Amino acid sequence: MFKSKPNFHRSYLQLTLVISTFAVLLAHALGIFLDFYVKFQSYDSLVHFVGGFWVAIIGFWVLKNPSFRETVFFVFLIGIIWEFFEFTVGQISIYLYDIPINLQPSLGDSVLDIIFDVLGSLAAIFYSRSIKDSMN
């Protein structure tokens, strides 16, 4: 008859997952098609922050009530995998097509990307806990 509180929290997470998915896709599309990654120096960090938030929400959904440490580790791991993906795409584009795609300007950029991924996860943790607190 009435939804229980955990289901209510889960429905908020589901809505947040949908909205944050569109936010990540839109941010990345703007970066690529309108050259925001080139025009705005900090745009990549903003996209990684939003992406970290999004991955944390996915973690909440998949892992079902993960701890603080599990959430941050999940986002950290996905961030590292993403950086390896960027590196691999850049190397393959040079090897196969002789086209240098500079997805990783430096090691410092990769580290900064991961830091913003984790900061996004912290924002998602704060958001999720504030929803839980408002239900009590």
Side-chain angles (χ1 to χ4, degrees), residues 8 22 27 32 45 53 61 69 87 100 120-123:
F8 182 71
F22 284 117
I32 291 172
S45 296
F53 183 94
W61 189 258
R69 188 176 295 167
F87 175 78
S121 76
L122 297 176

Side-chain angles (χ1 to χ4, degrees), residues 30-119:
L30 290 172
I32 291 172
F33 298 117
L34 297 180
D35 249 359
F36 282 8
Y37 287 116
V38 176
K39 291 178 182 175
F40 305 107
Q41 186 177 6
S42 300
Y43 191 75
D44 186 49
S45 296
L46 172 68
V47 173
H48 275 273
F49 180 86
V50 173
F53 183 94
W54 175 64
V55 170
I57 297 296
I58 291 171
F60 297 150
W61 189 258
V62 171
L63 301 174
K64 294 188 174 73
N65 201 21
S67 69
F68 176 87
R69 188 176 295 167
E70 289 169 336
T71 303
V72 172
F73 180 76
F74 180 73
V75 171
F76 184 74
L77 179 65
I78 298 299
I80 290 172
I81 291 169
W82 181 257
E83 293 303 312
F84 274 106
F85 170 76
E86 284 184 345
F87 175 78
T88 303
V89 167
Q91 295 303 304
I92 289 173
S93 70
I94 292 171
Y95 180 74
L96 292 179
Y97 306 108
D98 202 27
I99 300 171
I101 297 176
N102 191 12
L103 298 174
Q104 292 182 313
S106 67
L107 178 61
D109 177 71
S110 295
V111 171
L112 193 62
D113 289 349
I114 293 169
I115 289 170
F116 275 93
D117 290 337
V118 170
L119 289 174

